[in-house]
Amino acid sequence: HGLFRKGGRANLTAGGVGGALATREFTGDNFTFAGLALANVPVTVSEAKSGAFVSRSLAGNLGAAVLGRFRITFDERARSLTLVPTADAHAPFRVDRSGVSLTQHGPDRIEVLAVAPGSPAATAGLRVGDAITAVNGETVAARQLGVFDVLPLLSGAKSLRLTVTRGALVVRVAIRS
């Protein structure tokens, strides 16, 4: 739809229901939704050439980063939806500064789908295909960690210690965002 044509952060590959998806990340200056004006909204744009994310009628979707700023009430009888901003609706958006895209196919490991060149993840030595088995000393299986448990850690200013299996090797890396 031409909303974001140039720039943005290096192509990443995000995991989705249909598998890997080439994307580019931007920051929207301002966005108003349900009467709430939001600033510096993270925007991920698909670079797909075919499939579900290529449509003349669909420009995008609102994710949890925006919808999570509202208390949402569905009234089935009235066939209505009510959105009320939460107390922290104007809090800054979390932004992943690590440069890594993750997916998960089982309970004991989180797989690396992509690493942006020059990113903190690349500097730490993380590679596509690595399997993260522990985060900050806690195993993925024992803590029942999923991708959505790890993502908030990637947006902080603290370093993140990962134990990674790479084939038969066990490697320890630290990502400093």
Side-chain angles (χ1 to χ4, degrees), residues 45-107:
V45 176
S46 166
E47 292 192 324
K49 305 291 184 224
S50 64
F53 287 96
V54 177
S55 169
R56 291 176 190 225
S57 61
L58 176 68
N61 63 0
L62 292 174
V66 172
L67 292 178
R69 292 163 186 267
F70 294 91
R71 188 182 75 230
I72 303 171
T73 304
F74 294 95
D75 185 339
E76 195 172 321
R77 278 194 189 149
R79 300 178 54 99
S80 68
L81 169 79
T82 304
L83 298 155
V84 177
T86 62
D88 60 349
H90 288 289
F93 284 91
R94 285 187 187 160
V95 178
D96 174 7
R97 293 175 175 84
S98 68
V100 65
S101 292
L102 305 171
T103 192
Q104 189 168 19
H105 298 291

Side-chain angles (χ1 to χ4, degrees), residues 108-112 126-134 140 163-167 169 171:
D108 61 341
R109 59 197 304 136
I110 296 171
E111 293 87 19
V112 175
L126 214 54
R127 298 180 189 168
V128 171
D130 282 350
I132 299 167
T133 57
V140 170
T163 302
V164 172
T165 58
R166 184 178 294 149
L169 295 174
V171 180

Side-chain angles (χ1 to χ4, degrees), residues 150-170:
V150 175
L151 290 177
L153 301 174
L154 295 171
S155 64
K158 296 180 181 177
S159 110
L160 187 64
R161 294 176 294 115
L162 304 175
T163 302
V164 172
T165 58
R166 184 178 294 149
L169 295 174
V170 174

